[in-house]
Amino acid sequence: MWIAPERHGFKHWLVPALAACVGVAAAITAVVRGHTGTGLVALAVLAGYAVHLAYRRSEGVFAVSETFGTGHRARSHLKAAAMTGDMLIAVIVSALVVQVLRDAPIGPFGWLAGVAGVTYVLSISITSRGM
């Protein structure tokens, strides 16, 4: 059975769009409560997470580096590292949203999300150059 890739356009953007909508909702909730800074941080973190999800959906297979060795073991370690990073980022973003909705301080989660985002962008820029 042949399925045209064009038919999957909506599904391709559903999760990143949902993350962006949650960011807007969390920001509006914080601003209504009088915490504009918290709302802007929540919006920035969830917008960044949405961009991350959109980027990851369109990327190809990871190139295996010598750090993980070669062959099947290397692919397994690389997938495990990527899944661990993705899970930790999802937990940090979720904790930030919960803190915004509870009207609690978001400082530590904002910093962790920022560190994760900067690390990811630097990693992509370094590995895309072939280093």
Side-chain angles (χ1 to χ4, degrees):
M1 182 171 119
W2 181 76
I3 299 175
E6 298 86 31
R7 295 183 185 185
H8 298 291
F10 178 72
K11 290 181 182 178
H12 180 77
W13 294 105
L14 185 63
V15 175
L18 180 63
C21 289
V22 169
V24 170
I28 290 171
T29 302
V31 169
V32 167
R33 291 179 178 168
H35 302 287
T36 306
T38 299
L40 291 176
V41 170
L43 181 61
V45 167
L46 280 148
Y49 188 55
V51 169
H52 166 74
L53 291 172
Y55 176 77
R56 290 291 303 265
R57 292 204 179 271
S58 63
E59 75 183 4
V61 177
F62 286 117
V64 177
S65 69
E66 291 300 317
T67 304
F68 295 108
T70 59
H72 178 69
R73 176 176 274 174
R75 285 189 302 275
S76 298
H77 284 286
L78 188 60
K79 286 180 183 178
M83 288 173 58
T84 302
D86 287 346
M87 192 65 202
L88 288 173
I89 290 170
V91 167
I92 290 168
V93 170
S94 299
L96 186 129
V97 169
V98 168
Q99 290 294 94
V100 167
L101 296 177
R102 290 177 54 202
D103 202 18
I106 63 164
F109 299 112
W111 282 106
L112 287 171
V115 168
V118 168
T119 302
Y120 190 80
V121 168
L122 287 175
S123 298
I124 291 296
S125 66
I126 289 170
T127 57
S128 67
R129 286 191 230 155
M131 294 179 125

